[in-house]
Amino acid sequence: MENKLIEIQVYGAERICTSCVNLPSSKDTYEWLEAALSRKFPGQPFSITYIDIYQQQENPKRQEMTERIIEEDLFYPLVLIGDEIVGEGNPRLKAIVKEMERYGYQALEA
């Protein structure tokens, strides 16, 4: 099955989410996810983007999501694949991998 190139979006902020005090920062989570997914899906291209929720976004969908995170007090970092939220606050690698497999990616078994 040919996989579709997906974009993983990690929404976050410099300051740590109030409910996520003892967790890694959004930027740290983004970097960890990028490394972990590259190891899990070697040779299978995907893009991963970090989006600061307090910065104005040129892309209307991204701007809408940043406003939603702030207005609805969603936990961040928030991980989005397509239009699906696959992680919030302390995203689980297993859930993200499962979503990527839905798009045809094949995880390397550990």
Side-chain angles (χ1 to χ4, degrees), residues 54-67:
Y54 293 110
Q55 298 293 318
Q56 184 69 29
Q57 301 297 314
E58 291 182 22
N59 179 308
K61 283 184 91 170
R62 288 183 180 179
Q63 183 62 35
E64 185 180 308
M65 181 53 76
T66 60
E67 291 169 5

Side-chain angles (χ1 to χ4, degrees), residues 40-55:
K40 197 81 167 156
F41 299 101
Q44 300 173 69
F46 62 88
S47 70
I48 184 164
T49 307
Y50 178 77
I51 301 154
D52 189 313
I53 62 173
Y54 293 110
Q55 298 293 318

Side-chain angles (χ1 to χ4, degrees), residues 9-32:
Q9 298 175 17
V10 180
Y11 289 83
E14 290 281 326
R15 74 171 198 256
I16 293 178
C17 168
T18 342
S19 301
C20 308
V21 173
N22 293 319
L23 299 175
S25 72
S26 297
K27 198 73 150 178
D28 288 343
T29 300
Y30 157 77
E31 290 169 354
W32 165 75

